Amino acid sequence: DAGVTQSPTHLIKTRGQQVTLRCSPISGHKSVSWYQQVLGQGPQFIFQYYEKEERGRGNFPDRFSARQFPNYSSELNVNALLLGDSALYLCASSVLENTDTQYFGPGTRLTVL
Amino acid sequence: AQSVTQPDIHITVSEGASLELRCNYSYGATPYLFWYVQSPGQGLQLLLKYFSGDTLVQGIKGFEAEFKRSQSSFNLRKPSVHWSDAAEYFCAVVPMEYGNKLVFGAGTILRVKS
């Protein structure tokens, strides 16, 4: 079975621009979570979606938004990009909403110039 | 404050030597515990997890971890390290009261010398 897939692999944007990152979960997984990993740090939780509804939000500004589609794929949007948004963005999927093992995709490397 | 601590930023071991990576957490209830590994530029791969039951859990690639409630620890071990184990290792928890949000430690970079 295919694992979690993310696109694009790499992305370069300039300050003030907007970006959309995409994630397809493992087949049968209904929960998708997004994490930001800044170089040299552990991943930080951004959002969790389950059955197309937001189930959790981390300590990120409103410039960050996400949604989940009927096929359980998800998009993460970041508006008004800042240099500090440069990071590896990881998507993870799980079967259940709560306390379930999460499986990660390869990530999207975003560079903001 | 509630957190996950990995006290060692870098660890260097010789190939064939044993390995122990430390992880401590500070949450009131016993959380769900995980170890993930990340190779450079890659996503995270699950090594093992502890939800309940036997406190010694076996994972992939010959890794094991032991949960010690009295020490709030979940240390990762491997009896004989291979050069391919060089990577960054993250301990993570899902606090019982926080749904499925993973809270990660800062990671430990493992270097293996031949």
Side-chain angles (χ1 to χ4, degrees):
Chain A
D1 286 341
V4 177
T5 59
Q6 292 185 244
S7 63
T9 304
H10 296 88
L11 207 51
I12 298 175
K13 294 286 188 179
T14 57
R15 282 178 295 176
Q17 285 189 312
Q18 175 264 341
V19 68
T20 298
L21 311 180
R22 295 175 176 83
C23 170
S24 292
I26 293 170
S27 177
H29 286 198
K30 298 182 178 181
S31 177
V32 170
S33 296
W34 288 93
Y35 293 82
Q36 181 196 64
Q37 186 179 19
V38 174
L39 197 62
Q41 298 181 18
Q44 298 288 320
F45 172 78
I46 310 175
F47 285 110
Q48 182 196 4
Y49 276 77
Y50 179 77
E51 290 281 18
K52 302 183 294 295
E53 292 189 3
E54 183 181 307
R55 297 301 199 186
R57 184 184 182 110
N59 188 25
F60 281 81
D62 291 343
R63 299 185 296 107
F64 288 76
S65 63
R67 55 180 175 168
Q68 187 177 32
F69 299 97
N71 66 353
Y72 303 110
S73 67
S74 178
E75 287 183 350
L76 175 71
N77 295 284
V78 187
N79 294 322
L81 285 167
L82 304 174
L83 295 179
D85 295 331
S86 295
L88 181 67
Y89 288 85
L90 295 163
C91 173
S93 74
S94 61
V95 175
L96 303 175
E97 176 184 0
N98 294 307
T99 55
D100 191 22
T101 303
Q102 293 180 56
Y103 297 90
F104 283 81
T108 293
R109 172 71 63 186
L110 172 64
T111 301
V112 182
L113 302 176
Chain B
Q2 296 177 325
S3 65
V4 178
T5 302
Q6 293 181 247
D8 304 305
I9 299 175
H10 297 95
I11 282 185
T12 300
V13 299
S14 298
E15 191 169 15
S18 63
L19 171 71
E20 182 170 32
L21 302 181
R22 296 182 290 165
C23 174
N24 294 93
Y25 62 90
S26 58
Y27 290 90
T30 299
Y32 293 102
L33 300 158
F34 304 82
W35 276 99
Y36 285 88
V37 61
Q38 185 177 39
S39 297
Q42 302 295 313
L44 299 168
Q45 181 181 23
L46 178 69
L47 285 176
L48 47 78
K49 62 186 178 185
Y50 174 78
F51 284 7
S52 65
D54 192 347
T55 57
L56 184 64
V57 294
Q58 302 297 319
I60 62 171
K61 302 185 179 185
F63 285 92
E64 66 178 26
E66 185 172 14
F67 167 62
K68 292 186 177 180
R69 185 187 306 274
S70 61
Q71 299 177 19
S72 296
S73 69
F74 189 55
N75 293 348
L76 182 71
R77 301 195 295 246
K78 186 171 185 177
S80 178
V81 169
H82 187 263
W83 64 267
S84 60
D85 293 324
E88 188 161 17
Y89 292 79
F90 291 94
C91 179
V93 310
V94 173
M96 296 289 284
E97 63 272 28
Y98 289 128
N100 212 20
K101 165 189 170 182
L102 276 166
V103 178
F104 285 86
T108 297
I109 296 173
L110 172 65
R111 298 182 177 128
V112 180
K113 59 182 181 180
S114 56

